Every structure is written in structure tokens, then in C-alpha cells.
Amino acid sequence: MSLFEEFGLRKEILSAIAEMGFEQPTPIQEETIPYLLIPNADMIGLAQTGTGKTAGFGLPILQQIDFGQKTIQALVLCPTRELCMQITKDMQNFSKYVPEFKIVAVYGGASIQSQIQALRAGVHMVVATPGRAMDLLNRKLLKVQHVRWLVLDEADEMLSMGFKDDLDAILSDTPKEKQTLLFSATMPNEIREIAGKYMHDPVMISVGKKNAGAENVQHEYYVVHAKDRYQALKRVVDLHPLIYGIVFCRTRAETQEVADKLMGEGYNADVLHGDLSQAQRDFVMSRFRQKHLQLLVATDVAARGLDVNDLTHVINYNLPDELDVYIHRSGRTGRAGKTGTSISIIHTREPGKVPQLEKLLSKKFIRKQVPGGMEICEKQLFNLIDKVETVEVNESQIDPFLKGIYSKLSWLERDELIKRFVSVEFNRFLSFYENAPDLNANVHDHKSPDSRDGKSRRDRMRFSRLFINLGTKNDMNPSNLIGLINERTGNKSIQIGKIEMMKKFSFVEVDSRFEREVMGSFRDCTVDGIRVSIELKTSEGPREERLVNFTRPGRKSNRGDQREKRR
Ligand code: AMP
């Protein structure tokens, strides 16, 4: 008797999940299914995609739906359309032999009419993105007064996508007498707040194993200067000719830029981020799933709905700010009993994060040297030879040409012939990597080399503190803010000091001598549709002056100015 049977699930459900290949419950299911099958308090599940959490909440809910009532008894809120569809599909599979169960997925970017029709026909479960759920609630088409289970799936992601107000509104509309189940990969304060406000004495269930596949993942990293990141990425990809993986970038702009460059250079890659239309995203994901693409360059959010089990690699184009995001990313490889590699390209200021990740994952990260030209050429050459060995020859199609080909090449010896054949492909790599520089950076490269008088260069330098209206909410992080400044000024040698990054704005210290240059370079600059405003922050307080009025000399930064932080 499997544990699923011991849980007392209906035989129709047992048959369906057996057909899906579920033999034993996953760790999260072992905890959640018995807990949810009897009246109990609310629950917080710390779990990620890939842990089996959908069945963890879906099976016990399905078991307990009152089919005598055609009311919405379960409302599942999740961040993306893809996840919405995936949960709905899973529930449809679980209920294959429970035909009376009715479910609808409602999400934006698709016709609302068919969703309204399904709601009007009567459903037991609604799986919704918060925006569309709000829309339908306002139109009084989504009736939540009989909801018995409210599931918040990937709650951290919903918050980081700005759905807090929608969630607040929806949660306050549902009846008090219900069970709220919140699933989240991370526990930021906002989640604790939501839990405190809308949940009753929730129990916390956490799966010890962060991810079913984590055991099979090898973690590697390369240390390079930020300017060499893209070249390093290419070398890593070239070193793995059979790679099938996702390259994670932090912003949409960076994602697009990296993908454009890769595609422009002939790599079998494409891009996935939120600026694409739904049809474009569906198209790219389907090409990737079918392995028509080797590399998908994606933002974390856009890649959420992509359920691919056999990725060979995950590449972190840069390390995410939140370490949990790294765990989430790396858990996308090494699934379903396969091994995988999570590669991070990190710059000289970042290695401090590696020990933290090692501790969190209880795994050693291996520092690798960015391969040089010869190493890559060798790898590519032997990949070509492998292909030659295994290629299927289409005898009948090629036969008519062979005679002519043999006679044309008859003057060449066997060795010469092999040499020439492989060179046709190999020369491209050879010439590209001829004189390729060493991209490996010393971890300490960023530390001031000239601390002759005992003071670091940073201490001796005068910095100006600038306010900029871009923050983490705009997909910004310190490294791409530096990148933006480099790009706008066209001057990569401007020393950047401390960066404080808030949600909607940041403070950045720049070498005072370049203060005007930096500020001037942001005139008429728009990032992701936001007109960038940059201001000099005085050390005395929150008073600020725009560039046009600016007449003071640069001043020393005031690192302790908390008043400005609270702006
Ligand atoms: P989820 O975390 O719910 O997205 O599930 C990840 C994958 O694991 C999905 O493809 C599920 O169908 C599969 N899965 C969930 N539970 C089990 C189980 N007990 N046995 C085998 N596969 C499972």
C-alpha cells in the first residue's frame, strides 16, 4: 500500500496519480496532504517549484470538494499565467476520473469572455493571477463568498511583482471561515505581514530538502571583471557544445541585450522576459521545450512557468541579490534523477556571496578557470569528431553524389582528408580564439592596489552622493546601476563608491570630479519607460539641487545620513 492510499484519497484520484507516475509522496506532500485532509489551522509551506507542492495542496482539496454545491470552494492565486495554466492542468490530471470537478484558470492577456462563460457555468476551483481576479471580482463575476480554501502560490513572487494591493483586496473579500494556505520559496517581511494580517495561527511546513534535484547539482563559478562577463559567458557556452540551459539575467534590458548578442553571433538562443507579448513567450517556450533552442536567456519571473526537467546547465549571468533566488535557479537543473551544473559568472566584488551560498546549500562551490582558446577548441573539435562518428548517413540520398566527390578528392591521402574536413568547422573557432586573452580575474582585483599611505584609494577619494529614481522595483541592482552609469557616460573608469539600493530609488557615490559628467549624462534618459531623475544629495539633509542649478564643488559623502535613506 502506497502512502497515497494510506492518506485515504479517493480511488479515482489514486488511479489518476498512479497513471501520472506518482508512486510515493514527495516530502512536502507527506506533510501537507494529511494536514489538509482534516480540519486544521492555516498553513505556510516553504517550498519551491519542483517539490510537488501543487499536488500537496491540490489532492486534499480535490478530495474534499462538495460536488453538491456549484460554488467556488477553492481559489488559488499565483503570479503568472504560465503557473496558472500549469496548476490548472495538474488539477485536471488529478481529477481525470472525477468528471464532476470543474475548474477554470483566469489570467490576464487572454480573452476574458471565455473565462466569464466558464465562471457563469459554475466551477469549484478558480486558479487566477491577482490582476485578473481583481478585475472579475470588481465586475462581480468572481464570487468568493463560499471559498473554503484560499491558496497563495509563490506568494513571494506575487509580492515582488507588485500584486500586494490586489492581494490585500482579494483576501479581505473572502470569508473569514476558510483555510488559507500560503506557499513561498522565501520568507521576506512582507510575507510575514500578510501571514500576520490574514492567517490564523498558521503552522509552518518546510521541506528540508530545498529542491528535489538539488542533490544532483554541481555548483561552479568563474570570477571575471564585470566588463568581461559576456565574453566569459560565451567561453563557458563554447566549452559545452551540447548545452541545454537557461541563462538567468537580472533585468529585462540585460536579458534582451545578452540574447541579442548571442543570437547575433550565431548561438542557438532566444529570449524570455516580461516585455514580450504572451504569444511571443509561448512561442519561445515551446521552441525551448522542444529543444529547438539550446539556450534560453531569461529573467527569473519569466522563466517561472517553464517546466523543463532535463536542463544540463543553469547559468547565472550574475548572482542574484537574494540567495534564495539562486537556489531556485539552480534547482531547475539536476531534476528527475539527472545531473546538472549551475554555473555563476561573478565579478571581483561578489565572491563573498559564495561562502554564504555554500552554507545555505551545504555544498561546495568549485571555482573554475575561464577556459582559454585552446581548451575550447579542443572541446569543440572532439564534439565534431563525436558527431562524425555517430552521424546517420542517408545512403540513398547521398549516393548519387559520392562518385563525383570521391573522384574530386582522390588526390588526398586519408590523414590529409580528415585534417581538411575537421578544419572546415574548426577554423571558425581557431581564428576566433587566436590570441584570446585570459579572462580570469583575481578575486582581490577590486581592492585598491595603491594603499601606499595606509589609506585605500576609496578613503582618499572624494565622493559625491547622488540620488537616482531607480531601485530594485525597476529591476535594478548595484552592478547594472554601475553598468548604466558606464553606458551613459561612456567612461568606465569613473570610480563608484557605496551604493544603497531601495525599492524605488538608490543612492550612489561617484568620484566627485565626475559628478557633473554623471548627472549630465542622464539628461533625457528613460529606463523601462521611467524618465530617470538624478540629483545631488547634500550631506546636510534631504535638500537637493538639480544639475542645472548646481554650483557647489563636490563634497565628501556622508555615509551615516539616515534621514536621506528614509526619504
Ligand atoms: P510541482 O512542484 O507541483 O510543480 O511539481 C513538480 C513536478 O513533480 C511535476 O511534474 C509533478 O507532476 C511531479 N510530481 C509531483 N508529485 C510527485 C510524486 N509524488 N511523484 C512523482 N512526481 C511528482
Side-chain angles (χ1 to χ4, degrees):
M1 195 189 227
S2 85
L3 254 181
F4 282 120
E5 285 165 45
E6 284 174 34
F7 289 146
L9 292 171
R10 287 173 62 163
K11 65 175 189 328
E12 294 86 351
I13 299 178
L14 291 173
S15 310
I17 58 174
E19 277 181 26
M20 293 172 73
F22 291 19
E23 286 170 7
Q24 288 301 323
T26 64
I28 187 110
Q29 290 162 2
E30 266 178 41
E31 304 267 354
T32 57
I33 296 177
Y35 181 82
L36 298 178
L37 278 173
I38 50 172
N40 252 321
D42 290 345
M43 190 202 83
I44 297 177
L46 267 179
Q48 304 169 352
T49 313
T51 49
K53 66 182 155 65
T54 314
F57 67 77
L59 297 178
I61 291 179
L62 179 61
Q63 169 88 7
Q64 296 173 87
I65 293 275
D66 176 358
F67 293 107
Q69 308 288 323
K70 247 195 170 175
T71 52
I72 299 170
Q73 294 166 48
L75 174 63
V76 181
L77 296 172
C78 62
T80 61
R81 166 192 153 126
E82 286 76 21
L83 189 56
C84 221
M85 294 190 338
Q86 197 182 309
I87 295 172
T88 308
K89 196 169 129 248
D90 284 347
M91 289 303 300
Q92 283 164 339
N93 288 336
F94 304 152
S95 61
K96 185 173 171 192
Y97 300 112
V98 190
E100 59 274 33
F101 175 66
K102 301 287 178 236
I103 182 170
V104 64
V106 303
Y107 44 80
S111 153
I112 200 165
Q113 284 315 320
S114 55
Q115 298 174 359
I116 291 173
Q117 263 173 16
L119 285 171
R120 286 211 169 113
V123 291
H124 303 108
M125 184 184 249
V126 173
V127 187
T129 50
R132 183 54 64 95
M134 261 321 282
D135 190 356
L136 290 163
L137 263 180
N138 290 337
R139 297 185 195 205
K140 310 226 175 316
L141 291 162
L142 178 64
K143 301 197 173 89
V144 293
Q145 65 270 32
H146 299 295
V147 162
R148 294 162 62 197
W149 298 277
L150 175 69
V151 182
L152 304 172
D153 198 11
E154 303 208 348
D156 48 351
E157 211 42 53
M158 286 197 277
L159 292 178
S160 72
M161 288 171 74
F163 284 132
K164 173 142 193 335
D165 293 347
D166 286 340
L167 286 184
D168 272 340
I170 299 166
L171 264 66
S172 57
D173 256 18
T174 53
K176 281 211 160 56
E177 296 308 312
K178 64 172 183 305
Q179 196 174 23
T180 303
L181 319 173
L182 183 153
F183 290 90
S184 187
T186 57
M187 264 315 259
N189 282 340
E190 282 164 306
I191 298 272
R192 287 179 211 279
E193 245 173 61
I194 290 215
K197 200 159 152 195
Y198 294 108
M199 299 178 83
H200 304 290
D201 304 323
V203 295
M204 176 96 81
I205 288 178
S206 152
V207 257
K209 251 197 215 164
K210 287 277 184 187
N211 185 296
E215 288 302 314
N216 303 329
V217 180
Q218 168 149 322
H219 301 268
E220 299 175 353
Y221 67 103
Y222 298 87
V223 184
V224 298
H225 290 291
K227 68 175 174 41
D228 293 328
R229 217 186 270 283
Y230 175 70
Q231 291 305 329
L233 169 70
K234 271 181 33 178
R235 290 206 194 171
V236 169
V237 171
D238 286 345
L239 190 68
H240 300 98
L242 302 177
I243 193 168
Y244 174 53
I246 303 180
V247 180
F248 283 103
C249 296
R250 288 206 264 202
T251 65
R252 294 170 188 183
E254 185 182 63
T255 308
Q256 187 70 54
E257 187 190 324
V258 171
D260 283 348
K261 282 194 199 161
L262 287 173
M263 288 187 273
E265 294 190 67
Y267 289 87
N268 185 14
D270 211 333
V271 70
L272 188 70
H273 59 60
D275 283 347
L276 304 178
S277 72
Q278 191 57 51
Q280 286 171 314
R281 271 187 278 169
D282 288 348
F283 179 66
V284 172
M285 286 200 272
S286 128
R287 285 181 67 211
F288 187 62
R289 277 196 201 99
Q290 292 167 30
K291 302 205 173 148
H292 294 165
L293 291 173
Q294 270 190 286
L295 288 174
L296 190 66
V297 189
T299 55
D300 290 290
V301 173
R304 287 246 158 178
L306 191 68
D307 198 18
V308 178
N309 271 337
D310 45 1
L311 297 182
T312 60
H313 289 78
V314 159
I315 300 183
N316 301 280
Y317 190 62
N318 24 40
L319 280 181
D321 291 327
E322 290 209 21
L323 301 183
D324 281 344
V325 174
Y326 178 90
I327 298 176
H328 216 230
R329 288 180 180 179
S330 59
R332 289 185 153 273
T333 183
R335 284 187 179 182
K338 303 213 168 79
T339 53
T341 310
S342 172
I343 291 176
S344 303
I345 301 174
I346 64 185
H347 74 72
T348 46
R349 291 180 197 224
E350 285 177 320
K353 284 187 183 168
V354 170
Q356 294 175 42
L357 282 170
E358 288 182 324
K359 202 163 153 209
L360 201 65
L361 284 155
S362 311
K363 280 233 159 163
K364 186 95 195 109
F365 278 46
I366 304 165
R367 171 150 185 203
K368 293 270 204 172
Q369 292 297 307
V370 183
M374 273 335 279
E375 198 180 332
I376 292 172
C377 289
E378 184 185 348
K379 202 64 184 263
Q380 290 286 345
L381 183 57
F382 281 94
N383 179 51
L384 178 64
I385 302 302
D386 284 346
K387 275 195 198 159
V388 170
E389 279 192 318
T390 54
V391 70
E392 236 174 81
V393 177
N394 191 327
E395 302 279 358
S396 60
Q397 299 280 339
I398 204 161
D399 199 49
F401 306 102
L402 284 178
K403 207 166 155 215
I405 294 172
Y406 289 149
S407 96
K408 192 159 182 358
L409 299 176
S410 59
W411 61 280
L412 286 166
E413 294 293 318
R414 177 181 180 273
D415 290 358
E416 189 63 20
L417 199 57
I418 293 175
K419 229 189 297 176
R420 284 170 187 246
F421 263 97
V422 292
S423 296
V424 170
E425 173 81 11
F426 188 53
N427 282 355
R428 194 164 59 89
F429 275 95
L430 265 188
S431 64
F432 183 80
Y433 281 112
E434 203 177 9
N435 304 324
D438 180 6
L439 296 184
N440 292 291
N442 187 331
V443 177
H444 303 294
D445 281 359
H446 71 283
K447 288 197 178 147
S448 173
D450 55 349
S451 33
R452 293 174 296 268
D453 52 5
K455 283 182 178 175
S456 71
R457 187 166 57 195
R458 188 183 187 289
D459 288 341
R460 283 185 277 108
M461 183 175 282
R462 286 171 18 122
F463 281 105
S464 297
R465 187 165 187 252
L466 304 179
F467 162 86
I468 184 161
N469 65 334
L470 295 172
T472 50
K473 215 171 168 193
N474 314 104
D475 279 345
M476 274 287 154
N477 57 55
S479 63
N480 57 30
L481 182 57
I482 295 172
L484 187 64
I485 293 171
N486 289 344
E487 185 188 308
R488 298 298 303 180
T489 55
N491 180 352
K492 288 190 178 170
S493 54
I494 300 176
Q495 275 288 316
I496 309 280
K498 189 172 162 190
I499 295 178
E500 293 164 74
M501 192 153 271
M502 265 55 82
K503 255 195 172 150
K504 295 183 181 161
F505 57 89
S506 312
F507 295 103
V508 54
E509 291 179 348
V510 298
D511 180 345
S512 291
R513 290 169 302 167
F514 296 95
E515 174 189 285
R516 280 162 176 260
E517 185 179 331
V518 173
M519 293 175 76
S521 73
F522 278 88
R523 248 191 224 127
D524 300 324
C525 167
T526 323
V527 170
D528 274 351
I530 293 173
R531 199 181 159 76
V532 178
S533 157
I534 188 160
E535 295 159 5
L536 177 73
K537 298 306 294 185
T538 65
S539 49
E540 298 89 47
R543 202 157 66 88
E544 61 216 22
E545 293 174 57
R546 301 220 168 228
L547 172 71
V548 275
N549 300 326
F550 176 66
T551 49
R552 296 174 204 206
R555 73 215 67 224
K556 247 189 139 74
S557 67
N558 179 353
R559 275 161 229 140
D561 191 352
Q562 292 306 314
R563 279 172 300 170
E564 289 188 354
K565 262 198 189 170
R566 286 198 291 272
R567 191 194 127 96

